[in-house]
Amino acid sequence: MNSTRSLVVAARIATKPSKCLSKSWARHSSTKTAPPLSQARSQNASRSFQTQGPRKNTAAGLAEASNPAMAFPCLDALESKSATLEARSLSSGPEPSYTSGITLNYHCDSPLLLDWGGMLPEFNIAYETWGTLNAEKSNVILLHTGLSASSHAHSTEKNPKPGWWEKFIGPGGCLDTDKYFVVCTNVIGGCYGSTGPSSVDPADGQRYATRFPILTMEDMVRAQFRLLDALGIQKLYASVGASMGGMQSLAAGVLFPERVGRIASTSGCARSHPYSIAMRHTQRQVLMMDPKWNRGFYYDSVPPHAGMKLAREIATVTYRSGPEWEQRFGRRRADPSKQPALCPDFLIETYLDHAGEKFCLEYDPNSLLYVSKAMDLFDLGASTQSASAARRAAHAQRFASGQSKEADAATCSLTLPDSPYEEQPESNAPSDLNKPVCQSSGPPEDLVLGLRGLRDHPALIMGVESDILFPAWQQREIAETLRRAGNKSVTHVELGEDVSLFGHDSFLLDLEHIGGNLKQFLG
């Protein structure tokens, strides 16, 4: 840490006007650390450039810079936060307590075998409920969350804090608690009470960190149904979710078709597409490139808050729409009377900065990595389901024979490809990349086969035209796929920009249209 501070100090000295160099050098002349080679070359180039231009000598005989050094309050704030977190680590540890308040907890002692060969010997699921379970236990709605949401969708007696779907749940509401018993969980892999990377591995008493196994949406759903088993709930009245929850809602019906009555999926997809995978990839990369991430082993140290902040800023860009921001922010600057700056300056920049800053210590970074990767892996196509079933069968056989781990470390031997990009033969893409790619005439047959088990389930599929993360065509694909699979009870709703400009976040904000259509569908 001392070496890091020395570099920060040296960098600050280098950015100060030349007239301060003599005093600064005198104070720090005892430092023996040489600048990095690239820095030395940069300094030499800078000196060379300065000797070619006109020089203005001061009384001390030193040249003044042409312009004053720029201030970087955003970086100062970042350094200050790191220093504060480091000081806190000396006493109680800097890792925040990721909690949304008091929840119910289900502990499962039975191992959970995962789609990609991993295993959780035991696990916890944090959950909350609203409404009353009827005698037949036939009025249950399982509410699935988005990526970073907790189980706290609505306030409870023990936790009166408003939930993330507060206005959608309640007596007479979209999820009418006079009629339904609503259950919402924090997914496994999360950090709000359910078992995830920040949890303790019972095998050695240490945090899982990146020893946590790769997850899928289906793994999360299987864990939820373990909870339903414990509650004695055999069949859901409905599986409801938006965003990642919309993906899980479909997966619940595919995995347990006989245990799900109807399905509502908002702003989701039946298979992850390249654009959303790309956006989540960039978020993971900026997080993993934060030195404080330390390959996932940052617990009991300073968490990678800078990487988390940047990841959230990227995510926020995809959550809302350009037309909404045009109305809210336009091209206005926070303070037009000041010089433009490289730190947040436009109102949209300050908005993103605030969104990242607010989130960076509210969610476990490793959970972001694992849960977002599970979203990328999501594909309800028949071939993916078949391959997963084969892996699970082999894994179950190993586990039954007492060999809980694979014989080799093939699952952890990923390397970067020798060729970074190559057209795949099955993509039907033109060899000339300047030619347009032909649009398909409908959903692939593999996806139709994969959703065939949902042909008897009434389904509500909702999308939003202004959504850039899960574009409306992806919800049209779900609806068309279900219909081609033989489902004659598909309701498809698409909100145009004249109705909602909130983009992907419409499912959190549009009570009238999202909530109204959902209430009508549930009956």
Side-chain angles (χ1 to χ4, degrees), residues 235-275:
K235 185 172 182 177
L236 297 172
Y237 178 79
S239 175
V240 175
S243 187
M244 184 182 84
M247 301 158 78
Q248 290 180 313
S249 186
L250 290 170
V254 169
L255 289 175
F256 304 98
E258 74 287 349
R259 298 187 64 179
V260 176
R262 55 185 61 209
I263 293 167
S265 177
T266 302
S267 297
C269 62
R271 52 185 178 135
S272 282
H273 294 272
Y275 175 79

Side-chain angles (χ1 to χ4, degrees), residues 11-66:
R12 287 177 172 168
I13 294 169
T15 61
K16 291 184 177 181
S18 304
K19 61 184 180 181
C20 302
L21 285 176
S22 58
K23 295 181 180 179
S24 298
W25 176 252
R27 286 197 299 270
H28 297 280
S29 58
S30 60
T31 303
K32 302 297 183 181
T33 304
L37 182 59
S38 59
Q39 180 180 337
R41 288 174 177 169
S42 176
Q43 291 173 345
N44 291 337
S46 176
R47 294 190 188 104
S48 175
F49 176 80
Q50 290 177 1
T51 58
Q52 296 174 12
R55 298 168 60 92
K56 180 179 179 182
N57 294 333
T58 63
L62 296 176
E64 290 185 350
S66 300

Side-chain angles (χ1 to χ4, degrees), residues 75-135:
L75 299 184
D76 293 339
L78 199 67
E79 293 172 3
S80 177
K81 171 167 279 192
S82 290
T84 300
L85 291 172
E86 184 183 10
R88 191 193 307 172
S89 70
L90 298 177
S91 54
S92 61
E95 190 64 17
S97 175
Y98 301 113
T99 178
S100 57
I102 299 174
T103 69
L104 299 170
N105 180 68
Y106 164 65
H107 178 76
C108 184
D109 289 321
S110 301
L112 182 66
L113 304 185
L114 306 175
D115 278 341
W116 281 98
M119 183 265 292
L120 295 177
E122 59 185 60
F123 63 92
N124 292 319
I125 289 188
Y127 71 102
E128 295 174 58
T129 67
W130 305 268
T132 303
L133 184 63
N134 63 18

Side-chain angles (χ1 to χ4, degrees), residues 35-350:
L37 182 59
S38 59
Q39 180 180 337
R41 288 174 177 169
S42 176
Q43 291 173 345
N44 291 337
S46 176
R47 294 190 188 104
S48 175
F49 176 80
Q50 290 177 1
T51 58
Q52 296 174 12
R55 298 168 60 92
K56 180 179 179 182
N57 294 333
T58 63
L62 296 176
E64 290 185 350
S66 300
N67 300 286
M70 187 173 289
F72 292 95
C74 53
L75 299 184
D76 293 339
L78 199 67
E79 293 172 3
S80 177
K81 171 167 279 192
S82 290
T84 300
L85 291 172
E86 184 183 10
R88 191 193 307 172
S89 70
L90 298 177
S91 54
S92 61
E95 190 64 17
S97 175
Y98 301 113
T99 178
S100 57
I102 299 174
T103 69
L104 299 170
N105 180 68
Y106 164 65
H107 178 76
C108 184
D109 289 321
S110 301
L112 182 66
L113 304 185
L114 306 175
D115 278 341
W116 281 98
M119 183 265 292
L120 295 177
E122 59 185 60
F123 63 92
N124 292 319
I125 289 188
Y127 71 102
E128 295 174 58
T129 67
W130 305 268
T132 303
L133 184 63
N134 63 18
E136 298 79 16
K137 297 185 178 180
S138 61
N139 66 334
V140 181
I141 292 177
L142 178 59
L143 175 61
H144 306 273
T145 72
L147 187 156
S148 59
S150 69
S151 61
H152 193 61
H154 188 272
S155 53
T156 63
E157 183 177 344
K158 293 184 177 180
N159 183 3
K161 179 182 177 181
W164 55 266
W165 238 28
E166 185 74 21
K167 295 181 180 180
F168 289 74
I169 303 172
C174 311
L175 299 187
D176 189 348
T177 52
D178 287 335
K179 294 182 178 180
Y180 306 115
F181 181 67
V182 182
V183 180
C184 183
T185 80
N186 178 221
V187 298
I188 58 167
C191 58
Y192 294 121
S194 295
T195 296
S198 60
S199 302
V200 171
D201 182 352
D204 63 0
Q206 301 297 314
R207 305 248 201 172
Y208 277 108
T210 45
R211 299 179 304 162
F212 198 77
I214 288 291
L215 294 168
T216 65
M217 293 288 106
E218 290 85 348
D219 291 327
M220 298 173 184
V221 170
R222 289 188 187 94
Q224 290 174 323
F225 274 74
R226 292 274 189 96
L227 166 64
L228 296 179
D229 291 340
L231 296 176
I233 297 169
Q234 294 303 311
K235 185 172 182 177
L236 297 172
Y237 178 79
S239 175
V240 175
S243 187
M244 184 182 84
M247 301 158 78
Q248 290 180 313
S249 186
L250 290 170
V254 169
L255 289 175
F256 304 98
E258 74 287 349
R259 298 187 64 179
V260 176
R262 55 185 61 209
I263 293 167
S265 177
T266 302
S267 297
C269 62
R271 52 185 178 135
S272 282
H273 294 272
Y275 175 79
S276 57
I277 293 174
M279 296 309 298
R280 288 188 288 267
H281 160 77
T282 57
Q283 294 170 49
R284 289 194 296 270
Q285 287 291 289
V286 297
L287 170 53
M288 293 165 65
M289 296 300 176
D290 185 332
K292 291 183 175 60
W293 180 63
N294 193 34
R295 299 182 181 243
F297 292 88
Y298 51 81
Y299 302 110
D300 302 320
S301 183
V302 178
H305 61 94
M308 277 293 279
K309 178 179 178 178
L310 291 173
R312 187 62 170 189
E313 291 190 35
I314 295 171
T316 303
V317 171
T318 70
Y319 292 159
R320 307 301 273 263
S321 77
E324 180 206 357
W325 284 350
E326 187 69 34
Q327 291 185 11
R328 290 180 63 186
F329 306 116
R331 288 185 43 78
R332 295 190 299 278
R333 295 174 56 217
D335 189 348
S337 66
K338 292 184 178 179
Q339 281 279 96
L342 296 179
C343 282
D345 180 29
F346 284 93
L347 284 182
I348 181 60
E349 293 177 315
T350 61

Side-chain angles (χ1 to χ4, degrees), residues 112-119 214-219 222 255 373-374 376-400 403-406 410-411:
L112 182 66
L113 304 185
L114 306 175
D115 278 341
W116 281 98
M119 183 265 292
I214 288 291
L215 294 168
T216 65
M217 293 288 106
E218 290 85 348
D219 291 327
R222 289 188 187 94
L255 289 175
K373 188 65 178 184
D376 291 354
L377 295 170
F378 184 65
D379 181 1
L380 291 178
S383 59
T384 299
Q385 292 186 49
S386 177
S388 177
R391 285 195 307 271
R392 291 182 62 81
H395 186 30
Q397 186 175 8
R398 286 194 304 271
F399 187 80
Q403 184 182 354
S404 60
K405 297 181 181 180
E406 294 200 40
T411 56

